[in-house]
Amino acid sequence: MKITLYHYALPCQTGVVLRKQPLSIREGLIIQLNQQGKIGLGEIAPLPGFSQESLKEAQSAAIQWALKPHSLWDKLPPSVAFGISCAFAELHGELGSESNFQSAILCDSNFAIFSEKIAQQSQPLGKIKVGFNHKQEGNLANQLFEQFPHLTLRLDANRAWNLSQAVEFAEQIAKPHRSRIQFIEEPCQSPPQSLQFAAQTGIAIAWDETVREPKFCVQKAENLNAIVLKPTLIGSLNKCINLIKQTHQLGLNAVISSSIESTLGLSQLARIAQQYTPNMAPGLDTANLMQHQLLRPFAHTNLPLVRFDSAYLQEIPLCASGK
């Protein structure tokens, strides 16, 4: 088996911010497995400010693995384990060919584009990143519910609020509209506070950061609607599949979500979503945060496509043959 590793660096659209830090370039690695003419690709793209490993650490781990390949994914950093396991799943035909391109539409500064996309959905589903100004964001959500009578929203707070701020956010939303919030991801700084917020307001919540804690175990809780899975931050494909199965066994929803991967990674996440969570729209509306697509096009995206011969993609020298 021939193993090839590439580094990519794609310019982002202006205005992309992660935890108050601008993201001007999205960097990552592509691993290519070639066995008797069959090809498997995977993306290794730690997300700055969110992943436990840096890109440098991920690259080091990927090179070490390439020099002595093995299947002990859980001993690798999460992004490396996920990318390599996806490449093997493709190589062996274990990744479904159909994709789930339904997605929550991200409402950012371009309200006109959001309105246009929402109007095209028969069951409109939007998403708002919250946690910067809780009162303004609550008012925005309420206005969206008023403007789009059939809209359902997902909200993502990234543990930004204390309990009183989260409750003040909810108070901006008319009570009849609160049931139209499918869930808010991690509204408070700790899971117990988030559960208390849900009990006080009646607004459903979802676990996101909590899923990635070392001793996380899927459990039911009052007003807990979903488990959000960002595979790049979690680990191998098998680990993610097991979490999905546990979640479904408890009657909860599992949502596949992006970590701002390239369109290669997004296309694989869409396939994973269709294969394992076919009845739940994933959170993959991030392709247009970049200025180019990478290797594979993504649905409803018209950005130019970067191929292997592009200056945006450089092979990393390594001794890469294994059996």
Side-chain angles (χ1 to χ4, degrees):
M1 180 173 65
K2 181 181 179 183
I3 303 170
T4 313
L5 198 63
Y6 300 87
H7 170 266
Y8 75 78
L10 300 176
C12 294
Q13 304 287 4
T14 57
V16 179
V17 177
L18 290 177
R19 291 190 170 166
K20 301 182 181 180
Q21 296 295 319
L23 182 69
S24 59
I25 296 176
R26 184 65 170 111
E27 293 186 85
L29 309 173
I30 301 299
I31 187 163
Q32 181 186 68
L33 308 179
N34 187 328
Q35 188 172 49
Q36 298 178 337
K38 293 183 179 179
I39 301 292
L41 297 178
E43 179 169 351
I44 298 169
L47 186 61
F50 291 82
S51 289
Q52 65 186 42
E53 71 278 11
S54 67
L55 179 60
K56 183 178 180 180
E57 290 168 338
Q59 179 171 314
S60 176
I63 290 173
Q64 290 180 31
W65 178 89
L67 296 175
K68 193 174 181 182
H70 56 78
S71 59
L72 301 177
W73 317 127
D74 291 337
K75 296 190 182 230
L76 296 170
S79 64
V80 183
F82 180 62
I84 293 174
S85 61
C86 280
F88 269 98
E90 279 203 350
L91 186 70
H92 297 309
E94 297 169 353
L95 201 56
S97 58
E98 295 185 8
S99 302
N100 186 346
F101 290 121
Q102 300 176 32
S103 191
I105 306 301
L106 186 64
C107 181
D108 53 18
S109 56
N110 197 325
F111 190 75
I113 291 179
F114 174 79
S115 299
E116 181 181 339
K117 289 183 177 180
I118 285 295
Q120 296 172 0
Q121 292 188 326
S122 57
Q123 295 180 308
L125 175 64
K127 180 172 182 175
I128 306 176
K129 292 280 189 179
V130 296
F132 301 98
N133 187 314
H134 55 284
K135 290 186 177 180
Q136 287 184 7
E137 291 156 348
N139 187 49
L140 171 61
N142 199 57
Q143 288 178 352
L144 290 175
F145 287 135
E146 295 285 354
Q147 184 167 346
F148 303 101
H150 303 292
L151 176 68
T152 300
L153 281 178
R154 294 176 179 174
L155 307 173
D156 186 3
N158 290 130
R159 295 184 172 180
W161 298 324
N162 58 39
L163 178 59
S164 63
Q165 289 172 324
V167 171
E168 286 178 355
F169 162 85
E171 288 173 348
Q172 309 306 308
I173 301 172
K175 287 187 178 180
H177 293 161
R178 294 182 186 181
S179 62
R180 292 165 61 189
I181 297 176
Q182 190 175 87
F183 54 74
I184 177 168
E185 299 174 32
E186 307 267 358
C188 298
Q189 294 160 354
S190 70
Q193 285 184 333
S194 291
L195 289 169
Q196 190 175 345
F197 159 81
Q200 283 185 228
T201 63
I203 294 176
I205 61 170
W207 296 143
D208 179 1
E209 287 88 349
T210 298
V211 179
R212 304 191 293 275
E213 292 180 348
K215 296 183 180 180
F216 174 74
C217 178
V218 184
Q219 294 179 319
K220 291 190 75 170
E222 188 175 359
N223 295 311
L224 177 65
N225 181 307
I227 304 297
V228 177
L229 302 171
K230 292 184 170 71
T232 286
L233 307 183
I234 290 174
S236 70
L237 181 56
N238 190 58
K239 182 176 182 179
C240 295
I241 292 169
N242 285 336
L243 282 170
I244 291 169
K245 289 179 178 178
Q246 294 170 32
T247 300
H248 287 167
Q249 287 170 357
L250 292 175
L252 299 172
N253 295 305
V255 181
I256 300 296
S257 185
S258 81
S259 302
I260 315 185
E261 293 86 355
S262 75
T263 55
L264 170 66
L266 289 176
S267 67
Q268 290 183 326
L269 289 172
R271 292 161 67 187
I272 293 167
Q274 178 61 30
Q275 191 167 354
Y276 297 103
T277 63
N279 299 317
M280 179 58 62
L284 306 178
D285 189 38
T286 58
N288 287 304
L289 296 180
M290 283 178 259
Q291 295 181 18
H292 296 79
Q293 302 188 77
L294 182 64
L295 299 178
R296 292 178 186 164
F298 194 70
H300 315 303
T301 304
N302 298 316
L303 298 171
L305 183 66
V306 167
R307 303 185 186 277
F308 279 111
D309 58 357
S310 169
Y312 291 112
L313 195 64
Q314 299 290 326
E315 182 175 344
I316 299 171
L318 51 86
C319 179
S321 287
K323 292 184 179 180

